Amino acid sequence: MKTVVVSAGLSSPSSTRLLADRLAAATLRHVDAEPRVIELRDLATEIAQHLVTGFPPARLAAALDAVASADGLIAVTPVFAASYSGLFKSFFDLIDKDALTGKPVLLGATGGTARHSLVTEHAMRPLFTHLRALVVPTAVYAASEDWGRQGLAQRISRAGAELARFMAPAAGRAAPDVDTAAAIAPRSSTGAVTSVDPADGFAPVPFEQRLAALQAGLTA
C-alpha cells in the first residue's frame, strides 16, 4: 500500500511539513504502507507552467501520478486569507477529476491563530468532497500555540488511526475507532446512542425499531 503526503508549506523548516510528517507517522502506526512526501514548494514553477501550457513537466507529472495511485492521501496546507493557500489549490486543480474518487483523504492545516481552526471544514472538506474523495471524519488544525500541547497529539493520533482504517477496512489491520463511530451514530430522541456497542463495533438499528422507540417516547 502507498500513503502519499502533500505538504503546501512554503518555509523551511515548515510547521505545515511538521504536521504532515506527524500525521503520516500516526497513520503508519496502524497500517503497513510505503510513504511518499510531495513538497509543493519544490513544484511551484512546474505547477504554474502546467496551468499555462496544459502539459505537466516530468516532476509534476510524477507527483500527480503518485497522488492518483495512492491508497491513502494526507493533504496539509497553511492558512492564507482564511482559506487554503493558492499553491495548494492550484495543485489539486491539476488532479484528474476522477483520480480521487473514493480515495481516503486526511486533511490538515496550520495557522498562526486558533481563529482559523474551521478552515478544514469550510474550505478543505468541500474541495475534496467535490473531488469525490472519502474524507476521514477527523481533520487536524494546528495553531502556533497548539504545538507541544497534549490535545494536538491526541487529534493527530486519532486522525491517523481513522485514515489507516479507511485504507484497509477489510484487512482488519487497524482497531475499530469506537469513539468516531459513537460520535456519528444515530441517537434516540433523548440523545442516547442507539447503535454502537463498544464491545462489538458499529451495528445499525432497524428503522422500525427506532421509530417505535420515538413513538413510545412521545406518548409517555
Side-chain angles (χ1 to χ4, degrees):
M1 304 184 76
K2 292 184 290 187
T3 301
V4 171
V5 182
V6 175
S7 171
L10 298 179
S11 60
S12 181
S14 163
S15 60
T16 300
R17 173 61 188 272
L18 177 60
L19 177 59
D21 288 344
R22 292 193 177 182
L23 289 172
T27 301
L28 297 177
R29 282 198 290 269
H30 300 278
V31 65
D32 183 15
E34 176 187 351
R36 174 174 176 177
V37 178
I38 298 174
E39 286 270 18
L40 296 188
R41 66 192 297 269
D42 297 333
L43 297 171
T45 301
E46 287 93 333
I47 290 172
Q49 289 174 344
H50 189 6
L51 289 170
V52 173
T53 65
F55 298 97
R59 286 201 311 166
L60 177 58
L64 296 173
D65 289 345
V67 170
S69 63
D71 296 294
L73 175 67
I74 299 172
V76 188
T77 178
V79 173
F80 288 166
S83 187
Y84 37 66
S85 73
L87 183 62
F88 182 85
K89 179 62 162 56
S90 295
F91 178 77
F92 283 101
D93 282 347
L94 300 176
I95 295 287
D96 182 87
K97 63 180 180 61
D98 297 321
L100 298 187
T101 300
K103 191 183 300 296
V105 177
L106 168 57
L107 305 178
T110 58
T113 170
R115 288 179 296 178
H116 298 304
S117 60
L118 289 179
V119 68
T120 56
E121 307 306 315
H122 70 67
M124 298 181 73
R125 194 176 294 273
L127 170 63
F128 286 91
T129 298
H130 171 76
L131 294 171
R132 298 192 292 274
L134 183 60
V135 183
V136 304
T138 300
V140 180
Y141 176 83
S144 299
E145 63 265 28
D146 288 330
W147 295 103
R149 291 183 176 177
Q150 187 177 17
L152 176 61
Q154 291 175 338
R155 295 199 301 274
I156 290 173
S157 178
R158 179 172 177 168
E162 289 177 358
L163 178 61
R165 180 163 53 89
F166 277 67
M167 288 174 63
R173 296 174 181 172
D177 188 344
V178 176
D179 290 341
T180 298
I184 64 176
R187 295 170 183 272
S188 71
S189 59
T190 62
V193 174
T194 60
S195 64
V196 170
D197 184 341
D200 300 329
F202 186 83
V205 176
F207 176 75
E208 295 82 1
Q209 182 178 337
R210 296 185 60 202
L211 181 60
L214 178 61
Q215 290 174 333
L218 293 176
T219 56

